[in-house]
Amino acid sequence: MANGLPNPLLTADAARSLVDSVDAFLFDCDGVIWKGDQLIEGVPETLDLLRKMGKKLVFVTNNSRKSRRQYSKKFRALGLEVTEEEIFTSSFAAAMFLKLNNFSPEKKVYVVGEDGILEELRLAGFECLGGPEDGKKNILLEANFYFEHDKSVGAVIVGLDQYFNYYKMCYSCRYASLCIRENPGCLFIATNRDPTGHMTSVQEWPAGAGTMVAAVSCSVQKEPIVVGKPSSFLMDFLLKSFNLETSRMCMVGDRLDTDILFGQNTGCKTLLVLSGVTTLPELQDASNTIHPDLYTNSVYDLVGLLQQ
């Protein structure tokens, strides 16, 4: 809380103070850097200015559809030079969670999600099944139908899946539930629980990973281990990759319950931008209990304010 206000607007003085007090900016992507496949106005100028000021830039996204390699390609396609090492995704977090917890390479991973999760798992040395291919499968609910599942699956990972429909829900939830319930010690992991997502540049859609996670969670009557924001799990890798203190970082995001809460949970400064999911009325609503250190309309505001 600054200046006695729960939601202080970013000003020129506050922008200079913020930049002087941090060494690294952690940026969410959807709603902050882009919407769908469209770059948000002023992002290149903002990133260039911060780099020239010697700031480390890191991109932390809950969107598990792409791997770090695939996201690096998307950044380049939008005219932004960002390396894989600067990108931390929830798909990467899921793979690293298994790695850190000594997940047996003899076990398989069943994925309700897209190629980003599959690629990160394979790069980490794990054998996986499921993913987009299961969108082509169906089940026959006949009297003597018996659903087989792989007994060697030791983890189920659920993330954003644009191939999810009623038929895939029947197949994937059944497969996942059998693995979780019947395979001893099988882990249930969610990349994130975001309820919505920017699938296009003009609209937010009620089809975030949280909807897929909810379907599987409901079928198994069990809550997952969440590795994406606001969980602090990703921060462990940030700290290992960059010699920085969390108090010298600023999390920039458009969601209160993921980005801003992630920053607060890990001891970062927080800057909310209103270019994505959260609106000003939502931020100022009396029922809101998550307050950023600062808020502004978009990251581009930093350029104008720092040049005043």
Side-chain angles (χ1 to χ4, degrees), residues 23-132:
D23 301 314
F25 283 87
L26 315 182
F27 289 97
D28 177 47
C29 294
D30 296 300
V32 177
I33 303 299
W34 56 61
K35 285 185 178 181
D37 290 321
Q38 184 173 318
L39 201 62
I40 291 174
E41 182 183 2
V43 165
E45 296 87 338
T46 306
L47 301 186
D48 286 345
L49 177 61
L50 292 175
R51 287 193 191 278
K52 287 176 183 177
M53 298 177 76
K55 305 304 175 183
K56 181 68 184 176
L57 306 185
V58 184
F59 302 87
V60 186
T61 176
N62 265 358
N63 194 323
S64 62
R65 290 186 59 221
K66 299 179 187 295
S67 64
R68 291 166 298 159
R69 179 188 63 84
Q70 291 168 325
Y71 267 115
S72 183
K73 285 185 176 180
K74 177 169 182 173
F75 275 104
R76 286 198 299 273
L78 292 172
L80 303 174
E81 286 301 319
V82 175
T83 66
E84 289 183 37
E85 291 72 26
E86 294 174 311
I87 303 168
F88 290 79
T89 67
S90 61
S91 52
F92 172 70
M96 290 304 101
F97 180 87
L98 295 181
K99 201 85 170 175
L100 276 186
N101 284 277
N102 300 313
F103 186 75
S104 173
E106 297 178 0
K107 295 284 188 179
K108 297 176 185 175
V109 184
Y110 180 68
V111 174
V112 181
E114 298 190 34
D115 288 332
I117 302 174
L118 298 177
E119 181 168 321
E120 292 292 357
L121 286 170
R122 288 166 182 153
L123 286 171
F126 299 120
E127 183 178 352
C128 45
L129 60 153

Side-chain angles (χ1 to χ4, degrees), residues 265-278:
N265 286 345
T266 55
C268 299
K269 294 177 175 61
T270 55
L271 173 62
L272 175 76
V273 291
L274 303 176
S275 53
V277 171
T278 303

